[in-house]
Amino acid sequence: MSPRLLWIAIIVFALVACTTEDPAPIGSLSTPVADLPISINFENTVSELATPVSDAIIAEADAEYTLLSNIYERTTPGVVNIEADLPGNTPQNPNVSRGSGFIYDTAGHIITNTHVVQNATTIRVTFNDGYVSEASIVGTDTYSDLALIRVDTAPSRLSPLTLMPDSDLIRVGQRAIAIGNPFGLSSSMTIGIVSGLGRNLRSAEILDANAPIGFQNPSIIQTDAPVNPGNSGGPLLNSQGEVMGVTTAIRSDNGIFQGVGFAVPSNTVRRVIPDLMSNGRVSYAWMGISVQPEDNGYSVAGLAEPLNLPVSQGVLIRGVTIGGPADEAGIRGGTRTVQVRGQTVCIGGDIIVAINGEYVASMDELVSYLIVNTRPGDRANLLIVREQETFAVSVILRERPSADAAVRDCVG
């Protein structure tokens, strides 16, 4: 066969093979092994992809934690652990109250809760560095649950914390930092937010569940920063490291934190502590009025529509204490009762809408104003709404009596 014919035969054979055989799978391409890379350095590839982020990004991400660490380092020297031996305390039958506190000044004064030190026979204060000193009670106030104790030690050992200048500026949602000694774990920090304002606590309830209800402690700060037994009396701080409140209680079914904690605001602290320091007790101004319980929709705002009240905010007076400041000023209580949403409501009394030029929306706001801004003997100028008329009334405040007095309530 000639060479020309041989080449034609080879070409025809190749064409027939291509049309009769299945194409090779893509994964079976017959590229020579020698032409492929011998190895791939996966280690180098991963390390190139996982390059550390810049220091600037890390600093931005850690800014909050840097702030918290700084606040902790600045304030923990001023936070102390308190142990109070109560009557009957023995090694066999311990009766010890434990809590926290914080240094108020370089004279050795320490702020804590009344329920931590009340009736104590001995009080031991443990500082952040482990130093222990005995303390004496300067004064207690069951109404605010604030107490002032004092240690006799060198001023150089004392690192006072700073009170927030005006706790009325606190807003729901801002950062709340609690430092204390929960379960005896010294200098523990927990973080949360201010989750509510203007709460109230029954002062007697804090100290004795079987005691009479007593007065309400208004303007309480609510927080979700975890607080537990042992935190009582410690500081609740803002982002500047200032004390915006004194942790005082939790709302719980089992005694362990369940998301709701309370603190006495710094404005109340600033009002109470000087009295405790000078007199060992606190004198509160008293007006001598009583009101319909305002919760569950029975405030003036909740009653304005069903009772056709002339205002939608204020304090609807139910009764006045006979011979008390309000009674002497001619303020009137309720005259009759009606049913509103299935509950008896006393109506016909005066409505207080302002005190000394400050509008008040509820009894809690009125009491809070009296606590922080007035003292016994002060004159309070009230704006009163009676039926469809508005007029001013001047009341000379007195010291709150230690026992209940007769009240003129729902009478003509």
Side-chain angles (χ1 to χ4, degrees):
M1 180 182 293
S2 67
R4 180 183 177 87
L5 293 175
L6 179 61
W7 278 109
I8 291 173
I10 293 172
I11 292 171
V12 171
F13 179 79
L15 291 172
V16 172
C18 289
T19 58
T20 57
E21 293 183 8
D22 293 331
I26 292 175
S28 303
L29 294 177
S30 56
T31 304
V33 174
D35 292 339
L36 294 174
I38 295 176
S39 64
I40 299 176
N41 190 341
F42 287 100
E43 181 178 353
N44 292 339
T45 303
V46 172
S47 65
E48 290 175 2
L49 293 176
T51 302
V53 298
S54 68
D55 290 342
I57 294 176
I58 294 174
E60 183 177 354
D62 284 349
E64 179 179 1
Y65 305 106
T66 301
L67 169 67
L68 296 174
S69 294
N70 177 265
I71 291 174
Y72 182 85
E73 292 168 2
R74 287 189 289 118
T75 58
T76 49
V79 182
V80 301
N81 181 66
I82 296 175
E83 290 185 331
D85 294 338
L86 302 178
N89 178 52
T90 65
Q92 294 75 27
N93 297 290
N95 189 17
V96 179
S97 173
R98 293 181 173 85
S100 304
F102 62 92
I103 299 169
Y104 178 68
D105 59 25
T106 55
H109 292 105
I110 293 171
I111 295 174
T112 186
N113 283 151
T114 291
H115 75 262
V116 172
V117 298
Q118 193 172 39
N119 301 321
T121 56
T122 304
I123 301 172
R124 291 177 298 281
V125 173
T126 304
F127 289 80
N128 178 250
D129 62 359
Y131 180 82
V132 179
S133 178
E134 286 198 4
S136 58
I137 294 178
V138 177
T140 61
D141 179 43
T142 57
Y143 176 76
S144 64
D145 197 26
L146 293 176
L148 190 66
I149 62 176
R150 185 177 182 275
V151 292
D152 186 10
T153 190
S156 59
R157 185 173 292 283
L158 302 169
S159 300
L161 300 188
T162 302
L163 292 177
M164 183 179 180
D166 185 1
S167 55
D168 287 345
L169 300 178
I170 296 172
R171 294 293 178 264
V172 172
Q174 75 178 71
R175 183 182 286 111
I177 305 162
I179 298 181
N181 308 285
F183 306 108
L185 301 172
S186 63
S187 302
S188 297
M189 170 188 274
T190 54
I191 311 299
I193 63 169
V194 173
S195 49
L197 294 169
R199 307 305 191 208
N200 58 63
L201 291 175
R202 289 179 287 185
S203 54
E205 183 181 60
I206 295 173
L207 303 175
D208 183 357
N210 298 315
I213 288 177
F215 297 103
Q216 300 272 27
N217 185 1
S219 298
I220 296 295
I221 302 167
Q222 178 186 328
T223 180
D224 70 349
V227 292
N228 282 291
N231 273 110
S232 291
L236 187 70
L237 307 168
N238 60 17
S239 296
Q240 286 71 41
E242 300 168 330
V243 179
M244 58 181 178
V246 180
T247 350
T248 189
I250 60 174
R251 183 163 292 173
S252 171
D253 296 327
N254 56 15
I256 307 301
F257 182 71
Q258 293 181 311
V260 181
F262 300 104
V264 179
S266 66
N267 284 0
T268 302
V269 176
R270 190 173 279 103
R271 161 70 175 86
V272 167
I273 296 304
D275 274 15
L276 293 181
M277 193 177 297
S278 58
N279 304 318
R281 57 184 295 273
V282 182
S283 297
Y284 289 106
W286 174 68
M287 190 178 295
I289 61 173
S290 62
V291 300
Q292 177 83 22
E294 295 177 322
D295 50 357
N296 300 321
Y298 289 92
S299 63
V300 168
L303 296 172
E305 183 176 325
L307 296 181
N308 195 27
L309 298 177
V311 293
S312 60
Q313 289 188 326
V315 180
L316 176 61
I317 299 176
R318 176 186 175 96
V320 295
T321 302
I322 298 174
D327 187 31
E328 291 184 349
I331 294 175
R332 300 179 185 175
T335 57
R336 64 192 187 281
T337 61
V338 296
Q339 292 292 311
V340 179
R341 296 187 290 269
Q343 181 166 321
T344 301
V345 176
C346 180
I347 64 172
D350 293 338
I351 301 174
I352 301 174
V353 295
I355 177 171
N356 295 338
E358 296 283 338
Y359 287 98
V360 290
S362 64
M363 185 62 172
D364 281 345
E365 288 190 10
L366 177 60
V367 172
S368 180
Y369 181 90
L370 290 172
I371 289 172
V372 175
N373 299 288
T374 67
R375 293 178 179 274
D378 288 352
R379 180 184 298 273
N381 297 310
L382 305 179
L383 189 63
I384 299 290
V385 174
R386 179 178 297 166
E387 297 178 349
Q388 300 299 319
E389 297 184 44
T390 302
F391 54 94
V393 177
S394 182
V395 178
I396 304 300
L397 303 173
R398 299 183 200 162
E399 183 171 359
R400 180 176 296 157
S402 57
D404 292 337
V407 175
R408 186 180 297 110
D409 188 9
C410 277
V411 296

